[in-house]
Amino acid sequence: MRLSRFAALTSSLLLAAGAALFGASQATAAADFGYVALGDSYSSGVGAGSYDSASGNCKRTPRAYPALWAAAHSPQTFSFTACSGARTGDVLANQLAPLNSGTDLVSITIGGNDAGFSDVMTTCVLQSEATCVSRVNQAKAYVDSTLPGQLDQVYDAIDSRSPAARVVVLGYPRFYKLNGTCTTGLTEGERAAINGAADHLNAAIAKRAADHGFTFASVAGAFTGHEICSGNAWLHSVNWLNIGESYHPTAAGQSGGYLPVFTNAA
């Protein structure tokens, strides 16, 4: 099992401080600690606001969990390449450049867009329950048949470029609290089907991550009680004025949901 790279950083800092304190002639310098944040909109921070204009359509924000973790722990280098809308192929083509043999920590959320998350939600919002459930089942079939190979390509590339890094693969939340406060919108059957699809996707991602020796970090527990229809949601429901933020974590979802889960896993 890969040891926590942040723990390694802490140990090296303590050793360096001790050497300086006792006047060692050849003090051991703390090793550089490099963190690279990859992935899709759940890592770039769509839904949290305050987007960095320089990131363009990737919509990266300092309110996203990778930036919050970096601000709290001050890694020597921090590369934030996660991008809204990213699929596995986009990670391979556009996000891996910062990875190298000196990278200590990598985080990633990926797979939801490959599985057709956006189309599933659009179908369920606009069409019948039967059509929604059918589209959910189609997405689950894709997760079973095709997504594992796509995840393998991404995970192989990360491991090849940064073989010593601790890699934390984060999952996706369940979107709805069943029998909650919502009185309009989707049916309970549609909400249950969507939650089931999230669990199905997370299980597939967790399996591939484990097979590569990576750490899978589930956020389902952190978001329990903060789903849509909970009365204290950390997720945006449908927002017709800003449709791209629909079904994404709010700033509270990033800081209260994703950040502590990632911190515990890193």
Side-chain angles (χ1 to χ4, degrees):
M1 180 180 294
R2 301 177 187 218
L3 298 176
S4 168
R5 306 300 293 182
F6 184 65
L9 170 66
T10 303
S11 297
S12 65
L13 289 172
L14 290 173
L15 287 171
L21 179 64
F22 292 104
S25 60
Q26 292 183 333
T28 303
D32 289 349
F33 188 87
Y35 168 37
V36 179
L38 312 171
D40 56 22
S41 54
Y42 279 71
S43 289
S44 71
V46 170
S50 295
Y51 307 114
D52 179 3
S53 60
S55 70
N57 290 333
C58 286
K59 292 190 174 180
R60 289 185 284 269
T61 171
R63 295 179 177 179
Y65 77 85
L68 293 172
W69 190 92
H73 296 93
S74 301
Q76 195 74 20
T77 61
F78 171 49
S79 298
F80 192 10
T81 60
C83 188
S84 175
R87 300 186 180 196
T88 51
D90 298 309
V91 173
L92 291 169
N94 304 316
Q95 296 188 21
L96 302 182
L99 294 175
N100 57 55
S101 60
T103 301
D104 300 282
L105 177 65
V106 178
S107 65
I108 185 170
T109 56
I110 201 67
N113 291 318
D114 295 81
F117 158 78
S118 179
D119 186 62
V120 167
M121 300 312 299
T122 299
T123 299
C124 290
V125 168
L126 297 179
Q127 300 190 42
S128 69
E129 179 175 315
T131 304
C132 168
V133 172
S134 175
R135 182 64 184 88
V136 166
N137 288 335
Q138 181 184 348
K140 290 167 69 175
Y142 183 94
V143 168
D144 291 338
S145 65
T146 306
L147 185 62
Q150 294 172 318
L151 293 174
D152 283 341
Q153 291 180 47
V154 173
Y155 298 163
D156 283 342
I158 293 171
D159 197 43
S160 175
R161 288 170 176 261
S162 302
R166 179 171 181 81
V167 182
V168 179
V169 179
L170 294 100
Y172 299 93
R174 297 188 188 100
F175 297 110
Y176 291 100
K177 177 177 176 60
L178 300 181
N179 301 308
T181 59
C182 296
T183 57
T184 61
L186 302 185
T187 67
E188 283 297 288
E190 289 171 325
R191 292 170 185 147
I194 291 167
N195 282 358
D199 289 342
H200 196 80
L201 174 60
N202 285 328
I205 294 172
K207 175 65 165 60
R208 302 317 308 141
D211 285 351
H212 286 263
F214 298 166
T215 298
F216 178 76
S218 172
V219 298
F223 277 84
T224 297
H226 298 287
E227 309 97 329
I228 299 167
C229 305
S230 68
N232 185 23
W234 285 353
L235 293 158
H236 293 281
S237 187
V238 177
N239 181 352
W240 296 111
L241 298 178
N242 191 343
I243 199 69
E245 293 195 343
S246 300
Y247 302 107
H248 284 85
T250 63
Q254 288 286 340
S255 63
Y258 271 92
L259 177 61
V261 169
F262 176 56
T263 299
N264 289 337

